[in-house]
Amino acid sequence: MADAPTFRIYNSLTRQTEPIEPISPGHLRFYGCGPTVYTYAHIGNFRSFLTSDLILRTARAIGWDVTYVSNVTDVGHLTQDDLVDPSGADKMAAALEREGERFANIYDLARFYTNALVDDWHALNLVEPDVRPRATEHVTDQLKAVIQLVEQGAAYATDRGVYFSVEAFPDYGKLSGNDAAEQLQATDRETVADPDKRDPRDFALWKLDDAHLMQWHSPWGWGYPGWHIECSVMGMKYLGERFDLHTGGEDLTFPHHECEIAQNESLTGHQSVNYWVHTRFLQVEGKKMSKSSGTFYTVRDLIAPTPTDDHVPAPIRTQGGVDPLALRYALISGQYRKPFNFTLKTLRDSARAVRRYQALAENAAEALDRDDGDETSAPIGEALQAQYDAALQAMCDDLNTPAALAAALDGVKTIERALDDPWSAADGQMVHDWLHKIDDLLGIVYPATDEAADEPTAADDDDRAATIDALIAAREAARAAGNYDRADEIRDRLDAMGIEVMDGPDGTTWREKVTI
Ligand code: AMP
Ligand code: ZN
């Protein structure tokens, strides 16, 4: 291959498209804001996660190492976080109130939706991050950061919480161009802000609340961390005080990322992230995604084998869900920074394109199986290489996915036109190698292998044990309260997890069911 192209990206901080120059040459270290796990992720969320995935794949394609961290927010993201003064209910707690009976407790809810997220992530062929930290597992680190900020005079406590003092950070607003004052004045809020806050722009680092469902002890009393401090702490813990790049949807520019910058730079005394990358919001059929206008889709609405909800369009329901790779293709068919309108037509066209790749992959596999003929039937090796190079070049040009997909599809046409049936083994090998390169770059050819998705980790084991314990405890509570329907429901859930529950004179025990 010719020299690797220069990887350029639009940096929201400098408002320019710039070459990415990793701090450690040849090794990109970056953080992507993950979801709040209070419900299933929607296709807009995944458009943002796909931006991170494409950065990772492009960096690898030009020969860099990558360390990628993407968190799970399982506490602290409030329903009013669009305001700089977070008030309102914790999204997780509000979800438990809505879904109540389905879950043993709030940790069970978080685990359920984290698992659903990871399943969707793998179905859409996103590369698993090197670390997927959860906010609730990093509260001690967050408290240490809050204590340091208070000690150095960048934060202060009131009776309701601990706040970052925006006045102490003169650069506040450098990312978004917004220092919040205007936004606050324009907002007619029902919730009452803390009257002891020194400046309306100050944002919460720690919320005092001894009735909250998730609470930890702090020097100021029982409570829970703010959402912004979570990402600052987890980013720097796994990537260092200085790392290369940080991603998120456009709504996170302010206040979330503005606050992260204020925290990181106050904690370290220097700039900590060089490139900020924001994905423009996806719309559906020309409208903001919304349930009331029928333009809201979760990933599983579209890919589940039997989507049942009425709001899922009839063709998708009757087809038994769309190919997850077609959904991925559709979601990356618009460049991440441009307005993007997701339509059922885009999805249909994407499904057609993905089927063309799959037909080539099948032909290649068959030809390799037949193992007949060591000459290619047409000299298209160079053309295919040029089409791959064009796709890579487009990705290096601020992730120009439409141009990359078009270049790759030119390669598909080259193969379809040139190779005679039946393909020789050499044809099969050439196409197989090319498809794998395209797939490494764009992730649109081969479905994620189930083994990768299902590979158990130590964390999964801990989660599973904790879930079982929580369900057993919830079942015992239901039995004690005489709610036998609920107790049976929980037994069924445990049964589906492969757990046999045994009630004896000395209480309830359980064991893994033996399958023969
Ligand atoms: P949340 O779970 O609300 O924290 O969102 C997770 C990620 O999805 C964040 O990076 C959001 O900015 C992003 N996001 C939310 N809605 C959309 C949308 N319609 N289009 C693109 N990204 C979105
Ligand atoms: Zn974040």
Side-chain angles (χ1 to χ4, degrees), residues 156-177:
Y156 59 92
T158 72
D159 287 347
R160 299 196 193 185
V162 181
Y163 296 93
F164 185 92
S165 171
V166 168
E167 201 187 49
F169 186 70
D171 272 351
Y172 193 77
K174 71 174 170 181
L175 175 70
S176 60

Side-chain angles (χ1 to χ4, degrees), residues 32-39 41-49 73 77 91 227 247-253 256-257 278-284 288-289:
C33 281
T36 308
V37 284
Y38 66 101
T39 184
H42 56 65
I43 57 174
N45 298 138
F46 265 90
R47 177 159 149 87
S48 284
F49 306 149
T73 297
H77 192 170
K91 285 190 175 181
W227 173 40
T247 63
E250 63 176 334
D251 60 323
L252 301 190
T253 314
H256 188 50
H257 292 163
H278 291 106
T279 301
R280 189 90 175 249
F281 261 29
L282 154 155
Q283 296 201 321
V284 173
K288 185 170 183 244
M289 261 207 304

Side-chain angles (χ1 to χ4, degrees), residues 44-237:
N45 298 138
F46 265 90
R47 177 159 149 87
S48 284
F49 306 149
L50 279 162
T51 300
S52 300
D53 188 66
L54 294 170
I55 290 174
L56 178 149
R57 287 170 182 268
T58 305
R60 282 189 183 163
I62 58 170
W64 291 353
D65 289 332
V66 178
T67 305
Y68 170 39
V69 177
S70 184
N71 68 298
V72 165
T73 297
D74 52 2
V75 65
H77 192 170
L78 305 182
T79 49
Q80 304 280 321
D81 266 328
D82 46 331
L83 309 175
V84 76
D85 172 27
S87 324
D90 182 292
K91 285 190 175 181
M92 302 288 297
L96 189 66
E97 206 148 284
R98 262 198 320 274
E99 301 217 38
E101 288 286 284
R102 273 186 79 194
F103 299 103
N105 56 42
I106 196 153
Y107 290 93
D108 186 28
L109 178 140
R111 262 189 302 270
F112 179 85
Y113 285 118
T114 305
N115 291 342
L117 166 85
V118 174
D119 285 348
D120 292 347
W121 194 280
H122 291 146
L124 293 192
N125 224 359
L126 280 83
V127 176
E128 183 62 16
D130 296 282
V131 192
R132 198 192 280 284
R134 290 159 218 241
T136 51
E137 287 171 359
H138 296 78
V139 175
T140 308
D141 295 312
Q142 293 169 64
L143 265 175
K144 279 187 197 152
V146 178
I147 291 167
Q148 186 190 325
L149 289 169
V150 170
E151 280 174 1
Q152 68 190 50
Y156 59 92
T158 72
D159 287 347
R160 299 196 193 185
V162 181
Y163 296 93
F164 185 92
S165 171
V166 168
E167 201 187 49
F169 186 70
D171 272 351
Y172 193 77
K174 71 174 170 181
L175 175 70
S176 60
N178 184 349
D179 72 358
E182 224 174 85
Q183 210 171 343
L184 278 174
Q185 272 158 20
T187 314
D188 175 25
R189 280 174 304 133
E190 288 164 23
T191 42
V192 185
D194 184 342
D196 295 327
K197 264 174 54 170
R198 294 182 191 160
D199 182 326
R201 297 173 304 164
D202 295 350
F203 58 89
L205 298 168
W206 187 262
K207 301 272 292 178
L208 287 168
D209 183 354
D210 62 8
H212 195 256
L213 291 172
M214 290 173 162
Q215 48 176 292
W216 292 264
H217 195 252
S218 79
W220 308 277
W222 290 92
Y224 59 98
W227 173 40
H228 314 310
I229 194 72
E230 155 200 334
C231 282
S232 279
V233 163
M234 293 191 288
M236 292 198 289
K237 176 168 179 131

Side-chain angles (χ1 to χ4, degrees), residues 217-292:
H217 195 252
S218 79
W220 308 277
W222 290 92
Y224 59 98
W227 173 40
H228 314 310
I229 194 72
E230 155 200 334
C231 282
S232 279
V233 163
M234 293 191 288
M236 292 198 289
K237 176 168 179 131
Y238 294 104
L239 295 168
E241 281 190 3
R242 294 178 199 267
F243 58 94
D244 299 305
L245 192 146
H246 196 312
T247 63
E250 63 176 334
D251 60 323
L252 301 190
T253 314
F254 183 86
H256 188 50
H257 292 163
E258 196 68 67
C259 296
E260 262 191 68
I261 289 178
Q263 295 163 159
N264 287 21
E265 300 194 8
S266 300
L267 287 164
T268 63
H270 56 70
Q271 180 168 336
S272 85
V273 179
N274 291 339
Y275 305 87
W276 288 86
V277 178
H278 291 106
T279 301
R280 189 90 175 249
F281 261 29
L282 154 155
Q283 296 201 321
V284 173
E285 307 288 353
K287 299 192 192 104
K288 185 170 183 244
M289 261 207 304
S290 90
K291 286 196 173 139
S292 57

